[in-house]
Amino acid sequence: MNSVSSTKNPATGRKRRKKIRQSTVDDQPAIRELAARFPLFSAPSPMKLGVNAELQQFCRAAIPEELMSRTRVRLAVNYFLSRWARQPEYRAALSAGGPRYDLWMKPCGGVLDEELDARKFLKKRGRTQHAIFP
C-alpha cells in the first residue's frame, strides 16, 4: 500500500501525485522509537529550521546501514517530521509564536512574524497551501 499525496507544480499549476514508498511507512516505528529519546518530541513545540539534518545524522549513527540505507533513513525522517508538523497541536504552538527549539529543547531562534500565519507564509514562498494543510 503506497500513500499518495498531491501537490501543485508551481511552474504549470497542475496537480502532481507523489507516492510515498512503502518502506518509508514501514520504517516509521524505528524512527519514532529513536525520536522519542529527544525532549523536542515529548510535546509539540516549534522545531528549529534544519532539525531534520540533525535527526537524520542521529538515526544514521544509531541504525546500521545494513538494516536501513542512508536514503531510507532520510526519507523516513522527513516523513516522520512532516507528519509531526501536521498535528493540530504543533500548528497551534507554531502560530502562538515564541522560540524554536532544537532536539534537546534548547532555544534556537524564534518564529518569524510572517510565519505566524502559515498559509500566507507558504503562499508567499510559492508553495501550495494544501501541501501541509489539507
Side-chain angles (χ1 to χ4, degrees), residues 2 35 55-57 59 67 69 72 91 97 108 112 114-115:
N2 286 335
L55 188 57
Q56 284 176 28
Q57 184 179 7
C59 290
L67 295 178
S69 71
R72 278 181 62 187
R91 288 191 277 176
C108 297
L112 302 174
E114 61 260 14
E115 292 174 321

Side-chain angles (χ1 to χ4, degrees), residues 52 76 122 127:
N52 60 340
L122 291 175
R127 293 185 182 175

